[in-house]
Amino acid sequence: MKRICLTFALPALLAMVSCSTQYVVNGTSTVESLEGQTLYLKVYQNDEMQTIDSSSVVHGKFRFGGIFDSTMMANVFLGDASVMPIVIEQGQVSMKIDETTQSATGTPLNDSLTNFIRRKTQLDAQLAELPQKEAQMIMAGMDIDEINELLNEEADGLAEQNDRLVTRFILTNSNNVLGPGIFMILTSNFRFPVLNPLIEEITTHASPYFMNHPYVKEYLKAAEANMEKIREQQLKGD
């Protein structure tokens, strides 16, 4: 099974909340290169990324805050590079940026997102360690066929865990902004919109809110058209 690789550097997605509320993000950073730099909080609105706040990192601290009308997934940017995702929702969020980890906690959706990213990062790290394991096994004199069998089995197991993690998270959060948000990140890694078993499982069990989300609807429309073209090409080939 192909490994899912999520890159958390995508436009934010919007969900609806009834009235204007306040959000506060108190951030800390131990990354020396960020000192004195300006971070930008951006959301996806009107088909483009728009800055809703900015803050300079001074003595390892920065802060975002303001009034919002709808819960949103956003991204913290340094220049054109996304540093990490965050959910704009009511309450105070504690954001931490270290050399190897990032987190945003203190509100329900941010806590859920951070836990998901941590687990996803752990699985990705385990997959990334497989080439090193292979080198160690070769140095230990193991048979190459045995090595391939063991590592392929481990890789397949990790890929299956990865698929379950992403699918479960999207379905669990299909009634809030996280479901469509992670779905967007997932599908952005495809060369073009397609329907595969993972997508079909998600869309079969997802909530009406998820299925009516503008991005999801547009993706499925394009994916169905692409699948029809593929079927036509296959028939011509036969």
Side-chain angles (χ1 to χ4, degrees):
M1 186 176 293
K2 185 177 180 182
R3 178 168 64 94
I4 300 172
C5 178
L6 305 185
T7 304
F8 296 94
L10 295 174
L13 302 174
L14 306 183
M16 296 184 354
V17 171
S18 59
C19 58
S20 296
T21 48
Q22 185 174 15
Y23 72 93
V24 175
V25 179
N26 292 310
T28 60
S29 170
T30 60
V31 181
E32 292 184 5
S33 61
L34 289 183
E35 186 65 28
Q37 299 285 340
T38 299
L39 298 176
Y40 297 89
L41 186 63
K42 298 184 179 185
V43 298
Y44 188 69
Q45 292 178 332
N46 302 321
D47 299 324
E48 65 178 359
M49 296 301 293
Q50 295 186 4
T51 299
I52 61 172
D53 200 2
S54 63
S55 179
S56 296
V57 180
V58 179
H59 302 307
K61 296 182 180 181
F62 58 94
R63 185 181 186 277
F64 300 117
I67 301 296
F68 68 103
D69 294 323
S70 58
T71 299
M72 299 172 283
M73 277 192 70
N75 276 278
V76 176
F77 276 80
L78 175 63
D80 294 328
S82 175
V83 177
M84 62 177 292
I86 185 174
V87 181
I88 302 301
E89 59 180 329
Q90 184 176 12
Q92 293 198 24
V93 178
S94 296
M95 179 181 291
K96 296 181 180 180
I97 302 176
D98 298 326
E99 290 287 355
T100 57
T101 61
Q102 297 83 39
S103 66
T105 58
T107 57
L109 294 183
N110 278 300
D111 289 345
S112 181
L113 177 61
T114 293
N115 289 333
F116 167 73
I117 294 175
R118 283 174 177 166
R119 180 55 182 152
K120 182 72 175 63
T121 301
Q122 290 172 352
L123 290 173
D124 289 343
Q126 288 177 270
L127 280 165
E129 290 172 356
L130 294 184
Q132 183 178 354
K133 281 189 175 183
E134 180 181 26
Q136 292 171 344
M137 289 176 176
I138 292 174
M139 293 295 291
M142 290 181 62
D143 179 74
I144 189 65
D145 291 334
E146 182 181 1
I147 292 173
N148 288 335
E149 182 178 354
L150 289 172
L151 293 184
N152 285 338
E153 183 178 349
E154 185 173 355
D156 289 344
L158 289 171
E160 185 177 351
Q161 290 182 57
N162 204 14
D163 285 353
R164 289 201 305 268
L165 174 69
V166 174
T167 302
R168 187 183 302 116
F169 186 81
I170 291 175
L171 290 177
T172 300
N173 292 281
S174 65
N175 277 315
N176 64 61
V177 69
L178 291 178
I182 297 303
F183 182 83
M184 183 176 183
I185 294 173
L186 165 66
T187 54
S188 72
N189 290 279
F190 300 160
R191 292 178 56 192
F192 51 85
V194 294
L195 297 176
N196 59 26
L198 184 65
I199 299 300
E200 290 176 349
E201 181 179 356
I202 291 171
T203 55
T204 297
H205 298 96
S207 69
Y209 166 85
F210 178 92
M211 297 300 295
N212 287 320
H213 190 280
Y215 174 82
V216 175
K217 291 176 68 175
E218 187 64 27
Y219 176 88
L220 293 178
K221 180 180 178 180
E224 289 169 357
N226 288 335
M227 298 305 290
E228 182 61 30
K229 290 179 181 178
I230 291 173
R231 284 191 289 268
E232 291 175 357
Q233 292 174 355
Q234 291 174 339
L235 289 175
K236 290 178 179 179
D238 294 338

